[in-house]
Amino acid sequence: MRRAEREPTKGEQLGRAMPCEIRQSNDEIRTMVHVITSRSVDRYGDVVEPRGGRFENFKKNPVVLFGHRDWNFPIGRNRGLEVSDIEVVATTEFAGLEQSHADAETAYRLA
């Protein structure tokens, strides 16, 4: 497995992006079914094994945070995960304007 060209400094956040694949969306109930990770090589040469995920703690409080960063605002809740040998597919229910959450509305519309 190839790693980044340099080691991260202490406290540095590592960001990795993958193309977003949306399988289904429903504007009425503000849900989106989308791939959140797959068994493919990322730009750093790393591969995530979907069945190796530990989701127990996440399922206890399935809050979806903007950009996956714990200091950012929540934009919704996870309503289900489907784990296979090749990917993890999530169903996310986004907060919206009725919850006075303009940023979550923006995130939903941009996805």
Side-chain angles (χ1 to χ4, degrees):
M1 179 184 317
R2 188 179 65 77
R3 294 283 177 193
E5 299 299 319
R6 66 175 179 78
E7 290 295 314
T9 59
K10 185 176 180 179
E12 179 181 12
Q13 279 288 17
L14 299 178
R16 297 183 180 180
M18 67 175 263
C20 181
E21 182 183 336
I22 299 171
R23 301 266 171 92
Q24 181 182 1
S25 64
N26 184 326
D27 287 341
E28 246 179 70
I29 57 173
R30 304 186 53 72
T31 59
M32 191 174 294
V33 178
H34 52 111
V35 177
I36 60 172
T37 194
S38 66
R39 190 175 188 272
S40 59
V41 180
D42 70 12
R43 67 179 179 215
Y44 294 100
D46 297 335
V47 175
V48 173
E49 292 291 343
R51 293 213 185 268
R54 297 179 187 159
F55 302 108
E56 297 81 18
N57 286 334
F58 175 69
K59 288 178 178 180
K60 291 176 187 175
N61 185 27
V63 174
V64 177
L65 301 170
F66 182 75
H68 304 277
R69 289 170 167 63
D70 60 1
W71 63 85
N72 279 343
F73 53 88
I75 57 172
R77 294 189 65 76
N78 175 266
R79 295 298 183 195
L81 291 174
E82 294 177 30
V83 180
S84 73
D85 291 336
I86 59 169
E87 64 192 7
V88 178
V89 177
T91 300
T92 303
E93 179 181 10
F94 286 79
L97 295 176
E98 64 277 0
Q99 288 91 15
S100 300
H101 203 319
D103 292 329
E105 177 69 19
T106 299
Y108 178 75
R109 294 290 169 201
L110 290 175

